[in-house]
Amino acid sequence: MFHKEGYKIISIAIVLFLGINIASYVSIQIDYWIIAIFIITLVFLILILQFFRNPKRTTTINDRTVVAPVDGKVVVIEEVFEKEYFKENRLQVSIFMSPINVHVTRHPINGQVKFSKYHPGKYLVAWHPKASEENERTTVVVKNNFIEVLYRQIAGALAKRIVNYATENETVTQGMDSGFIKFGSRVDVYLPIGTDIQVSLHQKVKGGESIIANV
């Protein structure tokens, strides 16, 4: 199963794969060159397909848990000042996605979208300290009866497009598809001070399934 954001790119990749290999078979007389071109283009096609995969995830719905919004590795757990929306100290949990991770973004909690904003910006590497403030990004805040969570999609050096489906005042379901980031990035989650964090640094998590905090 592939994400809808990849349909156009996948179609182009398949057409290029077929076109290049047909052209090489017709015009090139040296067998090992034909084989080499086939292998290179096949690897490229497989990379495109795996990047846009959208595996089914089973989310255990619970208003008192916060699930990982994306697949990846936890790279930051620290108290920071969140200045865009809360304007107070929060616990930040950052998840870094490599190009081989699933890049679907999912809502970490049930609730109502209170804030959703896109910010144009730079394309610093995702782990750069200023990436969360200077890179292209989107900020989404969801609130329910137990917790209000802000999560921020951040473009990386390779990511050239962030897709955000969250609209203000809509009601969303935990684990539901909320966006997509193309080609390498990270997501920061901001939680209230005192939240019971359930992950550790360098831990790998699965979007929509791994619990990162209890309320």
Side-chain angles (χ1 to χ4, degrees), residues 37-50:
I37 290 172
F38 173 79
I39 292 173
I40 291 170
T41 54
L42 180 61
V43 169
F44 175 77
L45 178 61
I46 290 172
L47 289 174
I48 292 294
L49 293 175
Q50 69 85 31

Side-chain angles (χ1 to χ4, degrees), residues 23 101 111 120 123 138 165 193 195:
N101 284 127
Y123 297 97
T138 63
Y165 304 140
I193 300 298
T195 301

Side-chain angles (χ1 to χ4, degrees), residues 30-149:
I30 304 173
D31 288 346
Y32 65 78
W33 276 112
I34 295 175
I35 295 172
I37 290 172
F38 173 79
I39 292 173
I40 291 170
T41 54
L42 180 61
V43 169
F44 175 77
L45 178 61
I46 290 172
L47 289 174
I48 292 294
L49 293 175
Q50 69 85 31
F51 180 83
F52 287 103
R53 69 194 187 279
N54 187 14
K56 184 178 180 180
R57 295 288 167 81
T58 302
T59 303
T60 302
I61 305 297
N62 187 337
D63 282 348
R64 302 192 73 105
T65 64
V66 181
V67 299
V70 290
D71 290 19
K73 183 170 70 173
V74 177
V75 293
V76 172
I77 301 175
E78 64 181 7
E79 182 177 332
V80 299
F81 183 78
E82 198 294 303
K83 63 183 181 181
E84 180 180 3
Y85 179 82
F86 293 114
K87 297 178 174 59
E88 64 183 20
N89 282 6
R90 289 265 149 170
L91 288 176
Q92 176 184 330
V93 178
S94 297
I95 302 168
F96 173 74
M97 292 172 282
S98 74
I100 63 173
N101 284 127
V102 173
H103 276 58
V104 180
T105 306
R106 296 173 168 87
H107 288 293
I109 62 171
N110 290 324
Q112 184 180 47
V113 177
K114 308 298 291 185
F115 183 80
S116 181
K117 186 174 182 179
Y118 168 77
H119 302 270
K122 300 177 182 178
Y123 297 97
L124 303 173
V125 291
W127 57 84
H128 193 285
K130 293 187 177 181
S132 61
E133 296 182 358
E134 297 186 7
N135 278 21
E136 179 187 7
R137 61 202 181 279
T138 63
T139 301
V140 176
V141 178
V142 181
K143 183 179 181 179
N144 61 29
N145 292 331
F146 299 99
I147 192 172
E148 189 171 22
V149 175

